[in-house]
Amino acid sequence: MKAVDTFRHPEYKHNCAQAVANKWKELYADKDIVSSYAPYIGGNAPGGLCGALYAAKEASKANAEEIERLFVERCGAATCREIKMGTRTPCTVCVQTADDLVEQFEGKI
């Protein structure tokens, strides 16, 4: 299952951060990570980051800088505000990109 499959899905109701965290939850020390990321929507992730990007960086901390660089290269910005107001990259693309980047650095589940 891809992260985007649970994003805004009626059964899961995951926001962007929760969708990525759910897919990669075994990489986090906090096993209740999906619930913890409920507030990280609409620019509310630390630093105003896109929630999907924030979750990806936390899942693969050793590669966080490279993940952010590649995410910006593909989505146009790192913060939710810049994405929504500037690049207008759809949230589904951000979730898929974040998921793909974690997979690139951490391998397939």
Side-chain angles (χ1 to χ4, degrees):
M1 180 180 287
K2 297 295 234 172
V4 76
D5 294 337
T6 67
F7 177 59
R8 296 182 178 157
H9 186 280
E11 182 180 344
Y12 301 98
K13 298 180 181 149
H14 288 162
N15 66 34
C16 55
Q18 289 176 304
V20 174
N22 182 63
K23 164 80 180 286
W24 298 100
K25 58 188 164 203
E26 72 279 351
L27 298 177
Y28 297 89
D30 177 3
K31 297 307 173 196
D32 193 32
I33 199 69
V34 177
S35 294
S36 300
Y37 280 15
Y40 298 163
I41 186 170
N44 290 320
L49 288 178
C50 163
L53 172 58
Y54 178 78
K57 289 175 62 170
E58 290 295 301
S60 185
K61 285 188 180 210
N63 303 295
E65 287 182 30
E66 185 67 0
I67 285 174
E68 184 166 342
R69 185 187 72 74
L70 292 168
F71 183 91
V72 169
E73 188 177 286
R74 296 175 191 178
C75 295
T79 67
C80 186
R81 181 175 177 82
E82 291 175 307
I83 291 168
K84 287 185 179 204
M85 303 302 283
T87 68
R88 298 186 187 260
T89 303
C91 294
T92 53
V93 172
C94 293
V95 170
Q96 185 63 54
T97 300
D99 185 14
D100 290 345
L101 290 170
V102 176
E103 186 171 305
Q104 177 180 329
F105 289 101
E106 298 296 330
K108 295 185 179 192
I109 295 178

